Amino acid sequence: MRFLPLAILFLTTLFVSHQARAQWIIGGFMQGHRKASLAIIGSQESYSTYFINKTETKNPNLGTVTTQALTAVGTYGLGYDLDLIVAAPYIRTEASAGYFPKQEGFQDASATLRWEAYDYKLGKKLRLSWLFAVGYSMPIQNYVNDAMVAIGRGSKNWDGRTMLHLKGKSFFITGQYGYIRRGQVTLDHVVNYYDPSQLNPNSGSKVNVPDVTEIIVRGGYVNTWLNLDVWGQQQTPYTKGTDIGPGIPFPTNAVGFTRVGATAYLRLAKQFGLTAGYNTIIDGRNVGKNSQINAGLVIGHWTANN
């Protein structure tokens, strides 16, 4: 078991997030010792239909909500079995109708440690890895969190997950399970339209953001110059939450969704590549039924070559 003392130190220190938007960050390919990469990814997503609980709804006073983001993701191999991944997005979101003011700013910065605990050879062509990851995210700035149009929920989150990663000569499949622990947030106003004892005994303007669990399965084709994969993500509320409604704070809503997507990476040179992807929500709870396109530039070591 490599780097065990260091890994235990980190697990002890950080045990308990990984931000939902950044599902591409945590994969099964390790970065490699003292190897680094930087990805700058632009994305745009929009929805005109959203779920109240699990019922699809359109609101002419909201129109289409469009969110654009620019995210920087840095990865560094602290060891050949331990990576540090950091990310920070700048987000702008606005509605095409109504009087919801546009929101813009830095959202939540995150830092994640990924540890490849075991690596097995299966025959001559297969390798099976068992990985763990722990992360923490928090708002970079004090943005509006209780609005139909907001760039985030404003909570501080812990994320713990485990992964199994199977890689052959030209294919891979990764399955992971995660638990995201979300903290309290302070709203911009006092809440008195629902029973606070059901969500937060402290009442007032502080409310709990429901925890969630997450399952992600990703598989695809990989060679020296190209990576194509498809993936599915299911996020499920774990703790009690509310449904979208009059007087209900948005951060207390129990959010869940099923999202499917595909990602492509093209290596143009040894330390330079392009990435692009598409994903869409096919089912959800208290969330916009959005679709996203993204594209970005990756500088540095490409992890799939390990």
Side-chain angles (χ1 to χ4, degrees):
M1 193 178 299
R2 299 159 291 176
F3 277 89
L4 182 59
L6 185 57
I8 290 176
L9 172 63
F10 281 123
L11 287 170
T12 303
T13 305
L14 299 177
F15 176 73
V16 176
S17 153
H18 163 60
Q19 198 210 72
R21 291 179 180 276
Q23 73 277 357
W24 61 82
I25 294 177
I26 307 300
F29 292 101
M30 297 300 294
Q31 183 69 18
H33 189 203
R34 296 182 179 179
K35 295 178 180 177
S37 67
L38 174 66
I40 306 296
I41 301 170
S43 63
Q44 176 168 309
E45 61 186 63
S46 63
Y47 69 87
S48 57
T49 300
Y50 60 94
F51 296 92
I52 295 181
N53 194 348
K54 296 182 178 180
T55 303
E56 291 189 31
T57 305
K58 284 182 177 289
N59 184 347
N61 294 319
L62 182 66
T64 299
V65 176
T66 301
T67 299
Q68 298 170 316
L70 187 65
T71 304
V73 183
T75 305
Y76 181 72
L78 298 171
Y80 64 92
D81 60 353
L82 185 66
D83 290 343
L84 172 65
I85 307 161
V86 297
Y90 186 87
I91 295 178
R92 176 173 60 197
T93 184
E94 58 185 332
S96 64
Y99 300 97
F100 303 97
K102 179 178 69 176
Q103 304 293 328
E104 181 173 0
F106 287 100
Q107 195 209 45
D108 303 340
S110 65
T112 302
L113 286 169
R114 175 177 53 191
W115 174 40
E116 184 183 63
Y118 300 97
D119 183 23
Y120 304 100
K121 283 186 177 179
L122 300 177
K124 296 182 179 180
K125 298 182 179 180
L126 295 177
R127 299 190 74 93
L128 178 65
S129 303
W130 187 14
L131 306 95
F132 298 87
V134 289
Y136 181 75
S137 65
M138 61 180 295
I140 299 176
Q141 64 181 61
N142 184 26
Y143 54 78
V144 173
N145 58 27
D146 186 19
M148 192 73 181
V149 178
I151 64 173
R153 291 188 165 197
S155 61
K156 297 176 181 178
N157 311 309
W158 285 100
D159 184 318
R161 60 188 62 219
T162 184
M163 290 168 276
L164 284 175
H165 178 67
L166 179 66
K167 183 179 182 302
K169 182 179 179 180
S170 58
F171 77 91
F172 73 94
I173 182 168
T174 307
Q176 61 179 278
Y177 173 82
Y179 180 85
I180 302 174
R181 176 75 172 91
R182 291 171 170 158
Q184 292 184 344
V185 299
T186 300
L187 304 176
D188 300 324
H189 59 278
V190 175
V191 177
N192 54 12
Y193 296 103
Y194 71 103
D195 182 6
S197 65
Q198 299 298 313
L199 295 172
N200 177 19
N202 297 320
S203 182
S205 61
K206 285 190 175 182
V207 297
N208 294 331
V209 181
D211 300 346
V212 297
T213 60
E214 191 169 80
I215 295 174
I216 300 175
V217 177
R218 179 191 296 265
Y221 171 84
V222 59
N223 67 23
T224 305
W225 296 95
L226 182 66
N227 181 181
L228 299 171
D229 66 57
V230 295
W231 53 269
Q233 174 190 20
Q234 183 169 43
Q235 192 173 102
T236 305
Y238 183 79
T239 54
K240 190 174 182 179
T242 58
D243 296 320
I244 296 174
I248 301 296
F250 286 100
T252 64
N253 290 328
V255 172
F257 57 82
T258 301
R259 187 195 307 264
V260 295
T263 308
Y265 173 87
L266 178 62
R267 184 184 180 194
L268 301 178
K270 186 176 180 179
Q271 300 287 329
F272 181 81
L274 300 175
T275 183
Y278 172 82
N279 62 79
T280 185
I281 287 179
I282 58 175
D283 190 23
R285 178 180 174 185
N286 300 310
V287 69
K289 191 176 183 182
N290 67 50
S291 297
Q292 183 200 73
I293 57 173
N294 57 74
L297 170 68
V298 181
I299 303 170
H301 181 72
W302 183 30
T303 60
N305 283 338
N306 288 334

